[in-house]
Amino acid sequence: MSKKKAKDVSRRDMTKLQWTLHLMKQNWIGYVFVLPFMVLFAAFTIIPVIASLFVSLTSYNLIQPPTWVGFANYVQLFLDDDLFIIALKNTLIFAVATGPASYVLSFAVAWFINELPPKARAVITLIFYAPSICSAYTIFQYFFDSDAYGLVNSWLLKLGLINSPILWFRDVRYVMPLCIAISLWMSLGTAFLSFIAGLQGVDKSQYEAAAVDGVTNRWQELWYVTLPNMKNQLMFGAVMSITGAFGFGAVVTQLAGNPSVDYCAYTLSNHLEEYGNVRWEIGYASAISFILFLLCIGSNLLITKMISKVGQ
Amino acid sequence: MGRLRTRRHQVVLNRSAGGDTAINVMLLLLGILMVLPMYYVILNSFKPLDELFVYPPKFYVVSPTMDNYKDLFTIMSESWVPFSRYIFNTVLISIGGTFGNLVFSSLAAYALSKMVFPGRDFFFQLIVKSLMISAGTVGGIIQFIIISRLHVIDTYWALILPAWGTTLGLYLMKQFMESNITDAVLESARLDGASELRTFWSIAMPMVKPAWLTLIIYSFQGLWNTGDSTYIQSEQLKTLRCAIGQSLNAGVVRAGASAASTVIIMIVPIVVFVISQSKIIETMGSSGMKD
């Protein structure tokens, strides 16, 4: 900042472009610092995302050169691909069911433990955070085994609620709710930690001031003091939760198999894998991934916009 | 706040006993739900065979045994690629990927938070936007083509290079640097004639150790959990998680060993988190996203 000010005098003699070039030359070292990372970031994130838009307008199988087909892939996806519609619907259901729930759960638990003594808080943090770092969702195979030895089945049989074991991950009625529940179980991740830190960071004297001003219970405190003070964390947490809610094919594939029975938990990432890694229809697969990109970015921008309006 | 209430000369905050109880009951119930699955798998890993197949399954173990862990290592050593090779692969990928990520991300984070140059905000906005997509899924297809054009398919590089370009650690470090390094400190170093690289290395980096640690742990955990990848075909290059998944397809005989393997895979990230928890939370203190 200070450098910019020091040079402000000479700025009057230059056009905007000249001034920018001057700044670039003067601060070239900044680019050197950023360059190595940016090359990698571009190669593995930016270029793939941008390229998928262009490739999605072609027909391409990696062997012959791509041929331009315009929007044919998109037309086919929406009008002539029933599986895509199923995958889109399931992806949206997963996202809507797990995203907001995991967000609220992360905040609620962080808030619950905020006033505990540090040791207790650390232990409870570990308990709630552990499932997300281990990605040990295969554990649930013990719980929902389809024979009578599966934990849940054996209880239900013993209590006389069912007569024969339920085929949990092979039954259209149970696959989706189970996968949603399991991903919620392991969804208290980065957003959760960010909320814990954010709550701890709220200046204690503000609570005292609020109490003097007539705040009488913890709900009012939450609403008038805590939330407005944590807006940045709430925003970051939202991004983490939404991205997590969309990037969520692995759990399903592992537990329910791919394709899941009657495609009842078939998601866009499954469809993407099918066309990208099995059939090598790269153009078509790119169209799927570009739609997934639009969904992720769109919902993130929408929600962060909404959060930024809170309290204004 | 609990402490605050008891201190003299301070405003007593209103906390209803009912509310405290409700919150604690809820925490307890949720906590049990979280722990139960993990408790059960740990328990199973110590059950002898006859107890594993007691009907109905029990939530305690009568005569704990290490047999399942021994079985696991026997099964592993029977595979034609030695088990130690899988461990080596996972450790190498985790360390290599984390190291590069740390170096490149810190350099970039320093420039993005403490230097002024045209395009800086644009770079950072790109990084923020990248947090909004899961890059591996959205760009996965083209990423595969790029990796294969680099001729690194079926080498360690195919897993290490993409890890160097991940953005969450960089984001957290940049935010942490912004709120924990004052410009005055850097300015005085520059006035003393220190080069930018030197300022970065001996002034800035020592001030952001919690952020280092957080980046290392995030990166390491992600890589440690690497499973089957389309980039790796050779059996000799596969990861631990892959190998364990392959040799234990939840067969009846191997139920105990399978539980043991899950425990082993779980234990590493948990221990790492326990050790570093306070630093990670400290880093998260500045994780907020400004609009």
Side-chain angles (χ1 to χ4, degrees):
Chain A
M1 283 317 250
S2 54
K3 268 183 192 166
K4 210 172 182 175
K5 267 177 204 155
K7 294 285 168 189
D8 239 12
V9 193
S10 58
R11 186 174 179 177
R12 285 179 210 144
D13 328 322
M14 297 188 216
T15 65
K16 207 179 168 197
L17 180 68
Q18 278 175 322
W19 174 244
T20 307
L21 286 173
H22 169 77
L23 277 180
M24 287 173 83
K25 220 188 226 164
Q26 194 188 31
N27 300 297
W28 60 274
I29 189 93
Y31 298 98
V32 177
F33 272 56
V34 174
L35 187 71
F37 182 83
M38 279 299 164
V39 169
L40 291 157
F41 177 50
F44 299 116
T45 303
I46 300 178
I47 294 174
V49 168
I50 295 173
S52 72
L53 172 62
F54 290 102
V55 178
S56 74
L57 303 173
T58 67
S59 169
Y60 183 36
N61 60 8
L62 281 183
I63 300 160
Q64 287 139 330
T67 49
W68 188 261
V69 295
F71 287 97
N73 287 328
Y74 291 93
V75 172
Q76 197 188 336
L77 274 175
F78 282 100
L79 297 182
D80 209 20
D81 186 346
D82 294 341
L83 273 184
F84 169 75
I85 302 296
I86 292 175
L88 184 64
K89 194 190 84 195
N90 286 337
T91 303
L92 289 175
I93 292 177
F94 273 131
V96 170
T98 60
S102 108
Y103 187 65
V104 171
L105 195 65
S106 297
F107 187 84
V109 176
W111 188 53
F112 290 167
I113 66 176
N114 188 40
E115 299 183 9
L116 295 176
K119 282 250 165 57
R121 199 169 57 227
V123 172
I124 300 181
T125 303
L126 174 70
I127 288 176
F128 281 87
Y129 182 64
S132 78
I133 33 173
C134 304
S135 34
Y137 42 84
T138 43
I139 292 178
F140 286 95
Q141 277 158 351
Y142 298 102
F143 280 74
F144 297 103
D145 250 354
S146 45
D147 57 24
Y149 286 102
L151 254 188
V152 179
N153 273 336
S154 75
W155 285 343
L156 292 177
L157 284 169
K158 207 180 164 197
L159 294 172
L161 292 173
I162 51 171
N163 296 320
S164 57
I166 296 174
L167 305 169
W168 295 105
F169 289 110
R170 291 282 166 274
D171 189 322
V172 181
R173 282 171 300 173
Y174 301 117
V175 176
M176 279 285 265
L178 275 179
C179 288
I180 288 171
I182 292 169
S183 18
L184 270 180
W185 175 73
M186 46 188 282
S187 73
L188 279 87
T190 307
F192 175 55
L193 297 185
S194 176
F195 291 155
I196 292 175
L199 285 163
Q200 288 294 310
V202 177
D203 186 359
K204 302 280 183 283
S205 63
Q206 290 204 34
Y207 290 114
E208 292 163 33
V212 173
D213 288 346
V215 164
T216 55
N217 62 43
R218 66 184 100 213
W219 292 103
Q220 289 179 349
E221 206 172 74
L222 175 70
W223 188 252
Y224 292 111
V225 184
T226 314
L227 289 179
N229 266 294
M230 289 185 57
K231 213 158 114 186
N232 295 341
Q233 253 96 6
L234 291 176
M235 195 101 102
F236 175 66
V239 170
M240 291 292 112
S241 299
I242 297 168
T243 310
F246 275 109
F248 158 107
V251 182
V252 185
T253 312
Q254 185 75 205
L255 293 174
N258 183 27
S260 42
V261 55
D262 282 350
Y263 293 95
C264 65
Y266 192 73
T267 62
L268 281 181
S269 19
N270 292 136
H271 207 49
L272 188 58
E273 210 177 284
E274 170 72 20
Y275 281 92
N277 298 338
V278 181
R279 304 192 193 186
W280 296 108
E281 293 182 27
I282 305 298
Y284 199 68
S286 293
I288 300 168
S289 70
F290 196 71
I291 287 170
L292 193 56
F293 168 77
L294 290 181
L295 281 176
C296 291
I297 282 281
S299 49
N300 264 297
L301 292 179
L302 185 75
I303 301 292
T304 47
K305 189 115 213 161
M306 276 164 57
I307 294 175
S308 73
K309 289 274 191 300
V310 169
Q312 272 180 7
Chain B
M1 211 56 58
R3 203 177 299 149
L4 192 84
R5 215 183 323 172
T6 62
R7 241 184 251 158
R8 282 181 301 164
H9 308 304
Q10 263 177 340
V11 180
V12 176
L13 291 174
N14 253 314
R15 286 287 178 272
S16 65
D20 278 340
T21 318
I23 281 180
N24 287 333
V25 169
M26 246 183 313
L27 265 182
L28 186 71
L29 290 178
L30 282 173
I32 291 175
L33 272 179
M34 299 304 278
V35 169
L36 204 62
M38 290 186 285
Y39 168 74
Y40 188 65
V41 76
I42 294 171
L43 190 72
N44 264 6
S45 76
F46 291 111
K47 280 183 185 169
L49 200 59
D50 53 331
E51 280 188 58
L52 270 173
F53 291 101
V54 169
Y55 180 84
K58 296 276 186 292
F59 266 93
Y60 52 86
V61 50
V62 183
S63 45
T65 163
M66 289 300 285
D67 285 354
N68 294 323
Y69 289 89
K70 281 179 211 144
D71 284 354
L72 175 67
F73 285 102
T74 321
I75 295 168
M76 286 293 151
S77 56
E78 276 164 8
S79 66
W80 64 274
V81 174
F83 189 52
S84 54
R85 181 67 197 251
Y86 295 117
I87 297 180
F88 172 80
N89 291 342
T90 300
V91 169
L92 182 85
I93 291 163
S94 303
I95 291 180
T98 301
F99 178 76
N101 192 3
L102 177 66
V103 172
F104 297 134
S105 293
S106 324
L107 280 169
Y110 178 70
L112 291 177
S113 60
K114 292 292 155 190
M115 294 178 178
V116 183
F117 52 90
R120 183 187 76 157
D121 296 341
F122 175 72
F123 284 155
F124 187 62
Q125 276 312 308
L126 278 180
I127 285 160
V128 169
K129 294 289 177 297
S130 82
L131 297 177
M132 299 183 174
I133 57 170
S134 55
T137 315
V138 169
I141 308 277
I142 310 291
Q143 208 182 68
F144 182 85
I145 297 176
I146 291 177
I147 300 244
S148 66
R149 289 287 148 85
L150 292 171
H151 299 290
V152 292
I153 290 281
D154 215 18
T155 66
Y156 293 122
W157 290 111
L159 296 175
I160 292 176
L161 283 177
W164 288 0
T166 53
T167 45
L168 184 57
L170 163 56
Y171 171 83
L172 292 174
M173 185 169 281
K174 188 257 182 190
Q175 299 296 75
F176 193 77
M177 283 176 164
E178 216 158 59
S179 43
N180 288 278
I181 304 177
T182 55
D183 288 325
V185 179
L186 300 179
E187 213 50 57
S188 67
R190 284 172 191 148
L191 286 176
D192 287 344
S195 68
E196 281 296 340
L197 197 60
R198 194 164 171 80
T199 317
F200 160 75
W201 183 247
S202 39
I203 312 282
M205 284 311 269
M207 293 172 81
V208 294
K209 278 189 188 138
W212 283 53
L213 195 68
T214 306
L215 186 146
I216 289 174
I217 283 155
Y218 264 78
S219 177
F220 194 87
Q221 255 155 22
L223 288 156
W224 180 263
N225 284 332
T226 305
D228 228 343
S229 162
T230 41
Y231 302 148
I232 301 293
Q233 284 118 28
S234 311
E235 194 56 41
Q236 298 98 302
L237 296 182
K238 292 206 164 155
T239 57
L240 187 59
R241 211 186 171 92
C242 232
I244 288 179
Q246 279 167 358
S247 33
L248 299 160
N249 283 324
V252 176
V253 196
R254 290 175 169 179
S258 161
S261 76
T262 310
V263 172
I264 290 181
I265 286 204
M266 268 171 30
I267 217 85
V268 174
I270 288 185
V271 168
V272 169
F273 180 71
V274 169
I275 298 169
S276 54
Q277 184 178 1
S278 63
K279 299 288 173 202
I280 295 183
I281 300 282
E282 194 181 338
T283 309
M284 289 297 168
S286 56
S287 65
M289 201 173 263
K290 289 151 202 128
D291 49 317

